[in-house]
Amino acid sequence: VRATGIIAQRDRNFAYLDVQGQPTSVRVRNEELLAYNIGDEVEILLVGETEDGEFIIGSRRRIDMEDNLKKLEEAFEKKEIITGKIVKRIKGGYMVEAMFHQGFLPNSLSEINMKDGDNFIGKEVQLMIKDIQTEKDKKTKKITFSRKDITLQKEEQEFSQLKVGDVVEAEVTDVLDFGLSVKIGHLRGFVHISEISWKKLEKLTDEYKKGDIIKGEIISLEAEKKNIFCQLKLGF
């Protein structure tokens, strides 16, 4: 049952609320009311009473969890980006907390290098919700998070705005014998050696290096893999 009360007093561990219609004070753990002061009105959930019957037990965290679960479900449906904190590494990935709810971030969706994983513990990251399932007890939810889906969403948005003939800026990510691998925003691109210069080039490493910023014209778009093929033979 939800109820609204006023914080009347506090001790080391608990806050005590006056709730209209209740025969005794409602006791709530202090850590659940860190954002509130004595005299503040706060909505809580009545969850039981102490063994001696002296106090009714209330919870603000349960209210937050119920309300935020709805927000998480909305974010899942609308494919919105949320913020969560990586709590710890577990088998196959990471435990993440977002809006008072914990979920799983698999390694395959984390976009975190395995060697750097420990550096992310305790850090806030942007996430999308990959899936929400109801557990067997029907009271808890199994939430799967993803960082990869954010990248895929950005790729989709960026790719949809490109067309053949556009001149784009790209960063060289690799110099190969037969061409240049490039990055255009969040997307991958490639410039074949035959599309780099009108003159024959013997060794691309003499002309280009990783990290170079170049401009090229899009000559082909591969929608399925979000690949971009460019040419540089325009004197840019």
Side-chain angles (χ1 to χ4, degrees):
V1 179
R2 291 194 179 207
T4 300
I6 296 174
I7 301 175
Q9 57 180 314
R10 280 187 134 124
D11 61 23
R12 184 175 178 181
N13 299 312
F14 299 100
Y16 300 90
L17 283 70
D18 291 335
V19 178
Q20 189 173 3
Q22 298 301 322
T24 184
S25 294
V26 177
R27 192 177 78 177
V28 181
R29 290 189 174 277
N30 271 328
E31 60 261 30
E32 297 187 31
L33 296 173
L34 294 177
Y36 299 89
N37 300 307
I38 291 176
D40 285 351
E41 186 175 81
V42 56
E43 185 181 23
I44 55 169
L45 193 70
L46 305 179
V47 296
E49 61 179 39
T50 56
E51 290 184 5
D52 57 13
E54 187 176 354
F55 299 107
I56 295 169
I57 300 172
S59 174
R60 175 64 207 179
R61 184 178 177 86
R62 291 271 291 274
I63 292 275
D64 290 332
M65 289 187 72
E66 286 182 8
D67 292 347
N68 285 323
L69 180 58
K70 293 177 183 177
K71 292 179 182 178
L72 288 171
E73 290 172 336
E74 288 177 6
F76 174 51
E77 293 295 329
K78 296 178 181 179
K79 297 183 178 180
E80 293 176 339
I81 296 173
I82 62 171
T83 299
K85 180 185 288 187
I86 296 180
V87 179
K88 62 180 177 180
R89 288 183 87 161
I90 57 177
K91 185 177 180 181
Y94 304 85
M95 185 65 69
V96 173
E97 184 173 295
M99 299 183 188
F100 296 102
H101 289 269
Q102 290 197 340
F104 180 52
L105 175 63
N107 285 326
S108 61
L109 300 177
S110 70
E111 298 212 314
I112 298 173
N113 188 306
M114 294 288 285
K115 295 178 181 179
D116 299 329
D118 289 341
N119 296 329
F120 280 80
I121 307 304
K123 289 188 177 180
E124 289 191 342
V125 294
Q126 288 191 315
L127 302 158
M128 288 183 72
I129 300 170
K130 187 73 173 178
D131 192 29
I132 298 180
Q133 294 182 357
T134 302
E135 294 281 41
K136 292 180 180 179
D137 60 13
K138 295 184 179 180
K139 293 181 180 179
T140 56
K141 300 285 185 178
K142 181 181 180 182
I143 304 172
T144 303
F145 294 108
S146 172
R147 296 180 75 212
K148 184 176 182 179
D149 280 53
I150 296 177
T151 299
L152 292 175
Q153 186 185 70
K154 289 177 180 176
E155 288 178 355
E156 192 72 44
Q157 291 171 345
E158 291 178 12
F159 193 85
S160 68
Q161 295 171 2
L162 298 175
K163 62 183 185 296
V164 172
D166 284 351
V167 175
V168 294
E169 193 173 82
E171 179 184 349
V172 176
T173 57
D174 203 2
V175 181
L176 308 170
D177 291 339
F178 51 90
L180 303 173
S181 292
V182 298
K183 186 177 181 182
I184 303 166
H186 291 87
L187 300 166
R188 292 176 301 170
F190 186 73
V191 187
H192 191 270
I193 190 170
S194 63
E195 302 293 349
I196 292 176
S197 174
W198 291 111
K199 65 181 181 179
K200 185 177 180 180
L201 296 174
E202 297 294 336
K203 197 174 181 182
L204 287 181
T205 51
D206 290 340
E207 305 287 335
Y208 299 96
K209 66 181 183 298
K210 187 176 179 180
D212 281 352
I213 303 299
I214 59 177
K215 283 186 177 181
E217 180 185 355
I218 297 175
I219 56 174
S220 177
L221 294 166
E222 189 178 79
E224 186 177 341
K225 295 184 179 180
K226 305 290 184 295
N227 284 332
I228 307 164
F229 299 91
C230 298
Q231 67 167 351
L232 307 184
K233 297 187 298 188
L234 296 173
F236 288 109

